[in-house]
Amino acid sequence: MKPGRLLKGSRVPETITITDDRTGKTVTVPINDGTFSSAALRELDKNLFIYDPAFLSTAACRSSITYLDGDAGILRYRGYPIEQLAEHSTYLEVAYLLLYGELPDEGQLKQWTYDVTHHTFIHENMRKRFVDGFHYDAHPMGMFVSALAALGTFYPESKDIFDPDSRHKQILRLIAKTPTLAAMCYRFSVGLPFFLPDNELSYPANFLTMMWKVGEYEVHPTIERAMDVLFILHADHEQNCGTTAMRVVGSSQADPYSAAASAASALYGPLHGGANEAVVRMLTDIGSFDNVDAFIEDVKSGKGKLMGFGHRVYKNYDPRARIVKQTADAVFEVTGKNPLLDIALKLEEVALSDPYFVDRKLYPNVDFYSGLIYQALGFPVDMFTVLFAIPRTVGWLAHWDEMLNDSDQKISRPRQWYTGAGERDYVKLGDR
Ligand code: CMC
C-alpha cells in the first residue's frame, strides 16, 4: 500500500488506518480529495463489504464533469459557476462544455449548433406507429421514457458503443431529438397534429414552437431565454438517481438509448424529477395563503412532505433555486403572475424560519419554483418532468461517455448483506 502524502506544513498524514479487531490486521490507505478506496478492506478480509444503502457514503466513480458542494451551495459545470453559465451562456454551449470539457470556440459552436439542429427530425414510424399506439390519456413522461428506448431501434449501429464516430452520432441524435419527442408526446395527449422541427430556430425556440404552434406563433424572446436558462440549470447534477441509472445500465454496455430510457425512468419518480409536478399539485391543494400554517404543521407531524424542499446533497439553499426564482420574475412580467406564487413564497418564508426545517437543513431545491414557471408558460403539470428530462439528457450522456473512457469501471454489480433463511429442505405442497 502506498504511504499517504503529508498535508502541507503539517505532520498529519493524509491516510486512514483500519484495524480488523478480529484478527489484529491493519491497512493504511491514502485519502485523495476526501475519498479512500474500499479495495483496501479486501486486504483485511476478502469477504468484508461496506453496507451503504442508498449510497449515502459511497463515491461510485471518479468524475470531472460537475462539482457540487452541498454545504456551501456551490454548483459548477467543468469548473464554471452555474450563475455565470445561466447569465451568459446558452444550453447548446453548455451541452458542448459538459460533453467535451471546454467551452467551444466560435467555429466549434457553429458546427455543434448546426449538427444538433440537423438531427432534430425523427422517423415517421415513431409518430405514426409508435406514439399513436398509446392510450389517449397516457402520461407524457411514460410516453417519453418508452419513446427513448424505441428510438434506439432505428439506429442498430448504436450498439457499437466503442466506435467513437457512432458514439458521437448517438449523442447528437439524442440531444437533438428529445425536444421533438417531448413535443410529440404532448401534442398526441391533446389531440393536436404534430408540428415538424424548424431548423431556422434556436434550440429552445424550436421546442416551444413544436409545442405551441397552431396557426401564427412567434416565441417571445423573454420566454425563449427563460426556457434556455431552465435547460442550463437542469443539464447536469453529478451522481443523482437518474445519472446513476444511466451509468449502471450503461456499464452492461447497453446502447445509449436503452440506458437513457432507464435514466428517464428514474427521473420520473416524485422524489427526483417528478417533484416539480408534485410541488404544483401541493400548492394547488393548499389553495390559499391562509392554509399555509396548517399545511406546515401537517408536514411536521409526518403527514406528507413539503415537496420542492430538501436535498440529499444540498444542506444550504440550492443555487439553482435562486436562479429559477429570478427567472420566474422575468417570465411573470410577460405571462402575468402565477397565482400560486404567493402561496409558494409564504411557504418558503414559514419553512425557513421553522426549527423543523432549519434543524434538518431543508431549503428550497430546483423544483420548488420551476413548476410555477412551466405552469405560467402553459405547460400542463404532467409535462413538467419531461421538461426536466430534455436538458438532463446531455448530463446522462456526458457521464455515460466518461464512464466508457474510465479504465476503473466495470459492469456495476453491488454486493448484498444476506438476511434471509438458512438452508432448509423443500416441503411438498400437501405437507405445508
Ligand atoms: N419535507 C419534510 N421533511 C423532510 C423533507 C421535506 N421535503 N425532506 C426531508 N425531510 C426530513 C425527513 O423526514 C427526515 O426527517 P427525520 O430526520 O426526522 O427522519 C430528514 O428531513 C432527512 O431527510 P431524508 O429523507 O433522510 O433525506 P434524503 O437525503 O434521503 O432525501 C429528498 C432527500 C430530496 C428525497 C427529500 O428531501 C425529499 O423527499 N424532498 C421532497 C421531494 C423533492 O423535492 N425532491 C426533489 C429533489 S431536487 C431535484 C432532483 O434531484 O431530482
Side-chain angles (χ1 to χ4, degrees), residues 313-355:
V313 186
Y314 289 120
K315 302 302 167 197
N316 201 326
Y317 212 100
D318 180 339
R320 301 167 301 171
R322 222 183 286 283
I323 303 168
V324 174
K325 214 169 155 184
Q326 289 157 6
T327 308
D329 292 337
V331 167
F332 296 158
E333 291 276 317
V334 179
T335 61
K337 197 172 82 176
N338 186 326
L340 296 176
L341 177 67
D342 287 337
I343 301 177
L345 288 170
K346 170 88 174 160
L347 264 178
E348 181 186 341
E349 185 195 316
V350 174
L352 291 184
S353 59
D354 189 304

Side-chain angles (χ1 to χ4, degrees), residues 61-66 78 236 238-239 247 398-399 402 406:
C61 61
R62 288 177 300 176
S63 181
S64 56
I65 300 171
T66 287
R78 301 284 189 186
D236 191 42
E238 51 119 303
Q239 310 308 320
R247 279 181 174 267
H399 283 271
E402 182 177 66
D406 181 350

Side-chain angles (χ1 to χ4, degrees), residues 156-169:
E157 75 279 14
S158 66
K159 303 260 173 250
D160 194 358
I161 57 167
F162 293 110
D163 173 356
D165 292 340
S166 165
R167 205 146 99 194
H168 176 71
K169 195 65 171 283

Side-chain angles (χ1 to χ4, degrees), residues 56 237 240 267 270-273 275 279 299 304-313 315 318 320 356-357 360 362 365-367 388:
L56 287 165
H237 211 231
N240 56 82
L267 190 72
L271 296 189
H272 192 8
V279 168
V299 169
K305 279 185 169 175
L306 173 50
M307 299 308 285
F309 258 67
H311 198 275
R312 171 60 58 80
V313 186
K315 302 302 167 197
D318 180 339
R320 301 167 301 171
Y356 175 94
F357 297 91
R360 287 170 178 77
L362 301 171
N365 59 49
V366 69
D367 291 317
F388 192 154

